[in-house]
């Protein structure tokens, strides 16, 4: 297949796979160069917090990048957000409608999830051995189960994006971003596209649910939420839904 990727990477393509992230984690034990795994469909596409990611044959991008980045372990938590910005900025080359990033890893278009990111890492002796950066993008017409608030780019905009062209552009951006992870550009772009900004939402943090107002993110991509009159930094957790009164 045709790719236009600027770096020297190995590309593995599958018609069907269990999960591109799972294969990359396996390859991570012995890999010597950056590998991109892309599949036409996944049997067990994985999302954050043990969720699944619907990966129907030929309907989107299901890909993972296995890479040994030159980043500090303290910056690993920023990777998902920076990759979110890379995906969003690339999609903006095709889509004029507003795109948002729901902290921490989902991209929304017209209030529907169209993309998700799952970053996994192996760290030993204070060094990042590898990152597996997995992302799924719903490109083409697809009917999702009623309880899943997702859609595809084609269904929302009628735009049909060439899959390998988009994948190449995103991979090029991610590789560049990993070398500049602390560039203000990423945190500023994330801020500009923060979904639910100033809205009251239900949050789940360490198994506890509470209501808060999404204020912003800080320079470490932590979510700032106003709750019971004070501002909390959320480092990991989930915005469950918009709270309507
Ligand atoms: C989420 O929705 O929480 C993240 C979804 C990430 C899905 C992608 S698809 C390619 C890669 N392989 C997986 O099993 N998951 C990621």
């Amino acid at each position: 297949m045709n790719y236009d990727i600027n770096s020297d990477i190995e590309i593995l393509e599958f018609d069907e796979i269990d999960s591109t992230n799972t294969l990359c984690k396996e390859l991570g034990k012995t890999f010597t160069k950056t590998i991109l795994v892309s599949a036409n469909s996944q049997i067990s596409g994985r999302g954050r917090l043990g969720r699944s990611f619907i990966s129907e044959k030929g309907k989107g991008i299901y890909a993972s990048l296995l890479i040994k980045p030159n980043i500090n372990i303290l910056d690993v938590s920023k990777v998902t957000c920076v990759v979110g910005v890379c995906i969003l900025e690339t999609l903006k080359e095709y889509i004029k409608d507003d795109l948002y990033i729901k902290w921490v890893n989902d991209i929304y278009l017209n209030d529907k999830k169209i993309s998700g990111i799952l970053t996994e890492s192996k760290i030993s002796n204070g060094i990042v051995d590898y990152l597996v950066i997995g992302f799924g993008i719903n490109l083409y017409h697809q009917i999702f189960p009623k309880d899943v608030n997702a859609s595809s780019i084609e269904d929302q905009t009628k735009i049909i994006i060439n899959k390998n062209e988009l994948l190449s552009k995103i991979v090029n951006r991610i590789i560049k971003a990993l070398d500049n992870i602390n560039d203000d550009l990423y945190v500023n772009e994330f801020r500009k596209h923060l979904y639910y900004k100033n809205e009251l939402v239900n949050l789940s943090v360490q198994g506890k649910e509470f209501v808060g107002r999404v204020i912003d993110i800080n320079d470490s991509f932590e979510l700032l939420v106003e709750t019971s009159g004070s501002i909390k930094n959320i480092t990991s957790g989930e915005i469950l839904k918009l709270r309507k009164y």
Side-chain angles (χ1 to χ4, degrees):
M1 284 281 198
N2 264 350
Y3 292 92
D4 187 6
I5 293 176
N6 304 332
S7 318
D8 177 27
I9 70 173
E10 188 178 339
I11 298 172
L12 303 177
E13 290 183 293
F14 293 82
D15 188 40
E16 185 175 86
I17 198 169
D18 181 39
S19 149
T20 56
N21 263 43
T22 305
L23 176 64
C24 280
K25 281 170 77 177
E26 195 53 39
L27 297 173
K29 292 174 187 162
T30 54
F31 81 121
T32 51
K33 72 190 278 197
T34 302
I35 301 175
L36 175 69
V37 177
S38 171
N40 231 351
S41 65
Q42 297 183 116
I43 299 164
S44 316
R46 296 188 284 113
R48 267 182 86 235
L49 309 169
R51 297 205 189 102
S52 59
F53 187 84
I54 297 172
S55 313
E56 218 184 288
K57 186 160 282 204
K59 300 296 186 184
I61 289 178
Y62 315 115
S64 303
L65 191 64
L66 169 64
I67 190 163
K68 181 171 174 58
N70 188 14
I71 62 170
N72 191 290
I73 50 168
L74 298 175
D75 291 331
V76 169
S77 62
K78 300 175 184 166
V79 171
T80 296
C81 294
V82 168
V83 169
V85 170
C86 291
I87 294 176
L88 185 142
E89 288 299 305
T90 313
L91 289 176
K92 271 167 59 177
E93 294 179 20
Y94 301 86
I95 300 171
K96 295 290 156 259
D97 309 54
D98 285 340
L99 291 154
Y100 292 95
I101 308 180
K102 176 170 168 273
W103 188 86
V104 56
N105 69 323
D106 291 333
I107 296 183
Y108 273 68
L109 171 64
N110 299 337
D111 286 317
K112 303 273 179 207
K113 174 168 169 173
I114 52 147
S115 173
I117 301 153
L118 177 66
T119 305
E120 299 180 282
S121 58
K122 174 146 186 303
I123 295 171
S124 52
N125 303 320
I127 285 175
V128 184
D129 289 337
Y130 65 72
L131 290 179
V132 173
I133 300 170
F135 47 95
I137 307 177
N138 306 326
L139 292 180
Y140 312 126
H141 170 64
Q142 206 175 341
I143 295 164
F144 289 89
K146 278 208 169 61
D147 58 334
V148 177
N149 185 28
S151 183
S152 71
I153 290 172
E154 180 182 0
D155 285 319
Q156 291 303 309
T157 64
K158 308 277 174 270
I159 295 169
I160 295 178
I161 301 177
N162 179 286
K163 179 175 142 180
N164 288 350
E165 179 186 289
L166 178 64
L167 179 55
S168 303
K169 288 183 180 188
I170 289 172
V171 169
N172 287 335
R173 265 189 210 257
I174 294 174
I175 290 174
K176 190 167 162 209
L178 290 174
D179 284 336
N180 300 281
I181 193 152
N182 287 310
D183 191 323
D184 290 349
L185 177 130
Y186 298 107
V187 84
N188 289 340
E189 283 304 309
F190 198 106
R191 266 195 189 113
K192 265 204 243 163
H193 297 94
L194 180 62
Y195 197 38
Y196 292 148
K197 192 163 173 173
N198 297 324
E199 307 274 7
L200 271 185
V201 293
N202 282 21
L203 288 127
S204 165
V205 176
Q206 286 161 358
K208 289 199 184 120
E209 284 193 23
F210 62 94
V211 177
R213 189 176 297 282
V214 174
I215 302 296
D216 202 347
I217 54 161
N218 64 16
D219 289 349
S220 304
F221 293 95
E222 293 166 355
L223 187 69
L224 303 179
V225 171
E226 186 188 350
T227 181
S228 317
S230 67
I231 308 276
K232 261 194 184 175
N233 293 25
I234 315 276
T235 52
S236 74
E238 177 86 342
I239 298 175
L240 296 174
K241 61 173 188 285
L242 188 63
R243 189 156 176 119
K244 295 196 169 120
Y245 285 100

